[in-house]
Structures are given as structure tokens and as C-alpha cells.
Amino acid sequence: MNYQLLIESYSYGTLLSEQEIELLSLELETQIMNINISTEFGCFKSAPTHICEGLN
């Protein structure tokens, strides 16, 4: 599952299913649990402008 594509689709106005929302929630929890590792390896970048704007 490509989480970025789900978020991008949502930013364009596509509604997400309960299963897709659950998958994104689990991914968020995983990212939060591994934030120290992700920061250490420079894994954080801003999302593309159209996604940021679509999600406010």
C-alpha cells in the first residue's frame, strides 16, 4: 500500500474508506514510534506543495 498515494488522493477530494483510514492510522503510529530513527537518518521531508495545500 502506498501511503503517499492515499494522502495525495485525499488531498484532491477523494474520500477514504474505513480500511484506508485504519492503514494510515497504523502507519502514523509506526512513524511516531520510530521518530528517533527517522530523524537520525534524515527521513523527514515536507510533502509536495499540492498535498500540503490540499490538507491545509
Side-chain angles (χ1 to χ4, degrees), residues 2-41:
N2 188 323
Y3 304 105
Q4 183 176 343
L5 286 177
L6 280 177
I7 293 169
E8 190 166 6
S9 294
Y10 180 77
S11 74
Y12 284 126
T14 303
L15 296 179
L16 300 176
S17 69
E18 289 296 321
Q19 183 179 16
E20 291 168 328
I21 293 169
E22 183 67 25
L23 286 171
L24 287 174
S25 293
L26 290 172
E27 178 63 14
L28 176 61
E29 287 180 35
T30 300
Q31 292 298 323
I32 290 170
M33 289 172 39
N34 294 307
I35 200 161
N36 289 337
I37 295 169
S38 297
T39 302
E40 183 178 323
F41 287 102

